[in-house]
């Protein structure tokens, strides 16, 4: 199992060590990561999804520094950047400084321009596929916004975080991740309609079922390129059906048959995954963990076979969990091509299941499987 999450006191101590001459006590924001229980690759099609926040996330401590410059230290990258007063400092694609510059620009566009400040960024999200980018974006907006007089909250905060990724990081993501990070409630998943932007808390009976997240250890090296390929395929599906790609998930009630077999499989995933999300929500509301697990298994098969975003290691890990006593269901979660698996397991067998899965996954290659039981402690919050 993983280490305990970072604490507020630890972040404040680290900030004092990094900026010992700053003087001002920092405000501190925390934004959780999220695990998507079901509904992958339909958020950008206008679908309904079911993510939940997790106990791990991103912390940002911020204090005014009396200058016009933003100085940001990333504990994870072990580097410091400087945004000069004229804000002309460029960052290459993929650099974490783009998130800081993006938050600065988005806050300015919302009538809360930032003055000089020191920032410490510290995160403990333990695997890829758990939305570290949305977590970082939201935490930056909260902490920097607290010093600049921002009034962003709720859905507007989630939309502003999405703008950071769209305009400054270069990722045309849907709104699911940001919504889960901002709007999540304790001990609940979030049924979020990406078309209407409406959310509903779905209670999770943690005393009956544990949500285990397992890191396959495979970096998502193909996820970005495959994501762009799928967007192109969605455009072709939309053109063939005379539909806007952003409406496909709510429009396709039954899987269509298209001339191109690849597009037929992609469209089938979109249509059937939406049905599975609705069925999974209904199962949770009536406490039917077996039916919920069946939806997880079916979702993984669709992501593997129809949407083609899984990989051999993740498929193996899903199969391993499926064989364990007490496991209701398992699936890949996130963009795919590596990253994490999520499994619904009877609470009284969660520890045994996780240990058995780790032993089986290690195999002859000696792979290490990191797991944790995910708990929602609610959405992003500010400590001052």
């Amino acid at each position: 199992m993983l280490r305990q999450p970072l604490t507020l006191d630890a972040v404040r101590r680290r900030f004092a060590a990094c900026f010992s001459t700053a003087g001002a006590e920092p405000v501190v924001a925390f934004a959780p990561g999220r695990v998507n229980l079901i509904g992958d690759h339909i958020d950008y099609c206008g679908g309904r999804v079911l993510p939940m926040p997790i106990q791990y996330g991103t912390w940002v401590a911020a204090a005014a520094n009396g200058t016009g410059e933003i100085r940001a230290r990333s504990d994870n990258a072990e580097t410091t950047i400087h945004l000069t007063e004229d804000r002309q400092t460029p960052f290459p694609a993929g650099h974490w400084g783009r998130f800081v510059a993006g938050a600065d620009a988005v806050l300015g566009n919302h009538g809360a321009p930032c003055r000089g400040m020191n920032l410490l960024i510290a995160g403990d999200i333990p695997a890829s596929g758990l939305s570290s980018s949305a977590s970082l974006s939201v935490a930056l907006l909260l902490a920097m916004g607290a010093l600049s007089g921002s009034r962003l909250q709720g859905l507007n905060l989630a939309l502003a975080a999405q703008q950071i990724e769209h305009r400054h990081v270069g990722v045309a993501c849907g709104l699911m991740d940001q919504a889960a990070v901002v709007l999540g409630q304790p001990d609940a998943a979030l049924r979020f309609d990406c078309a209407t932007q409406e959310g509903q808390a779905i209670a999770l009976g943690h005393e009956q079922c544990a949500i285990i997240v397992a890191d396959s250890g495979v970096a998502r090296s193909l996820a970005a390129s495959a994501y762009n390929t799928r967007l192109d395929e969605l455009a072709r599906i939309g053109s063939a059906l005379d539909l806007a790609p952003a409406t496909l998930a709510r429009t396709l009630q039954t899987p269509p048959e298209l001339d191109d077999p690849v597009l037929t499989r992609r469209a089938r995933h979109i249509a059937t995954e939406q049905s599975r999300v609705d069925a999974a929500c209904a199962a949770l509301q009536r406490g039917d963990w077996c039916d919920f697990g069946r939806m997880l298994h079916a979702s993984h098969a669709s992501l593997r076979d129809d949407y083609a975003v899984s990989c051999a290691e993740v498929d193996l890990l899903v199969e391993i969990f499926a064989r364990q006593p007490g496991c209701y269901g398992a699936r890949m979660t996130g963009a795919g091509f590596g990253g994490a698996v999520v499994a619904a397991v009877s609470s009284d067998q969660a520890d045994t299941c996780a240990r058995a899965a780790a032993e089986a996954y290690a195999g002859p290659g000696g792979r290490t499987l990191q797991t944790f039981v995910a708990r929602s402690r609610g959405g992003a919050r500010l400590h001052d």
Side-chain angles (χ1 to χ4, degrees):
M1 292 288 184
L2 295 170
R3 68 183 185 278
Q4 290 297 308
L6 283 169
T7 65
L8 175 62
D9 286 345
V11 173
R12 283 177 168 157
R13 288 195 299 270
R14 182 60 182 148
F15 182 89
C18 288
F19 301 105
S20 57
T21 61
E25 187 72 16
V27 297
V28 183
F30 172 77
R34 69 94 188 96
V35 58
N36 192 26
L37 300 182
I38 192 167
D40 274 315
H41 290 283
I42 60 171
D43 59 326
Y44 49 84
C45 305
R48 296 177 295 276
V49 293
L50 189 67
M52 65 170 277
I54 61 175
Q55 63 269 45
Y56 298 95
T58 306
W59 295 84
V60 176
N65 61 21
T67 74
E69 183 177 86
I70 296 176
R71 303 163 186 157
R73 166 77 182 181
S74 168
D75 261 11
N76 292 28
E78 297 184 342
T79 55
T80 301
I81 62 168
H82 297 263
L83 287 179
T84 56
E85 193 164 359
D86 59 11
R87 301 296 195 262
Q88 295 301 308
T89 306
F91 299 105
H95 194 286
W96 62 271
R98 288 200 172 199
F99 286 91
V100 179
D104 174 56
V106 167
L107 286 168
N109 292 338
H110 283 81
C114 296
R115 298 183 182 276
M117 61 183 71
N118 294 334
L119 303 173
L120 173 70
I121 301 168
D124 57 12
I125 295 176
S128 60
L130 301 180
S131 199
S132 58
S133 57
S135 173
L136 174 57
S137 297
V138 171
L140 283 167
L141 288 172
L142 276 179
M144 296 169 70
L147 300 184
S148 63
S150 167
R151 297 179 182 273
L152 289 171
Q153 58 183 338
L155 183 61
N156 287 332
L157 176 59
L159 288 166
Q162 186 188 41
Q163 289 174 14
I164 293 176
E165 297 216 48
H166 282 192
R167 300 178 185 177
H168 303 278
V169 180
V171 177
C173 58
L175 190 60
M176 173 182 69
D177 295 350
Q178 295 83 1
V181 168
V182 173
L183 303 176
Q185 299 296 314
D187 297 320
L190 178 72
R191 181 184 183 272
F192 186 72
D193 189 316
C194 297
T196 65
Q197 299 180 350
E198 295 173 332
Q200 174 192 6
I202 304 290
L204 294 170
H206 288 303
E207 60 279 359
Q208 287 89 35
C209 182
I211 302 299
I212 295 179
V213 178
D215 181 9
S216 70
V218 178
R220 299 182 304 146
S221 58
L222 298 177
S225 59
Y227 185 87
N228 291 332
T229 300
R230 296 299 174 275
L231 291 178
D232 177 67
E233 290 168 344
L234 291 182
R236 292 161 59 198
I237 293 170
S239 177
L241 299 174
D242 197 23
L243 294 169
T247 69
L248 288 174
R250 64 191 306 107
T251 305
L252 298 180
Q253 301 299 314
T254 58
E257 288 292 332
L258 303 172
D259 292 338
D260 186 326
V262 172
L263 297 185
T264 296
R265 291 195 297 272
R266 305 294 186 258
R268 183 167 59 211
H269 169 73
I270 294 166
T272 58
E273 185 78 348
Q274 185 62 94
S275 297
R276 284 186 290 269
V277 171
D278 294 339
C281 290
L284 286 178
Q285 289 173 319
R286 64 176 184 270
D288 188 340
W289 294 106
C290 290
D291 196 35
F292 178 71
R294 282 192 289 270
M295 295 304 104
L296 299 190
H297 280 313
S299 174
H300 182 76
S302 181
L303 288 161
R304 179 193 64 210
D305 301 333
D306 284 344
Y307 220 64
V309 290
S310 189
C311 66
E313 293 86 351
V314 168
D315 292 342
L316 172 62
L317 190 50
V318 169
E319 291 171 7
I320 288 171
F321 270 104
R323 295 197 299 264
Q324 305 310 314
C327 180
Y328 298 112
R331 63 185 285 276
M332 61 156 276
T333 184
F337 297 99
V341 163
V342 60
V345 179
S346 176
S347 291
D348 59 1
Q349 294 179 280
D351 289 345
T352 302
C353 178
R355 285 195 298 270
E359 291 173 3
Y361 189 64
R367 288 173 296 215
T368 300
L369 183 67
Q370 294 283 355
T371 66
F372 68 95
V373 175
R375 293 297 298 261
S376 171
R377 295 174 179 166
R381 48 202 177 269
L382 186 66
H383 305 269
D384 52 17

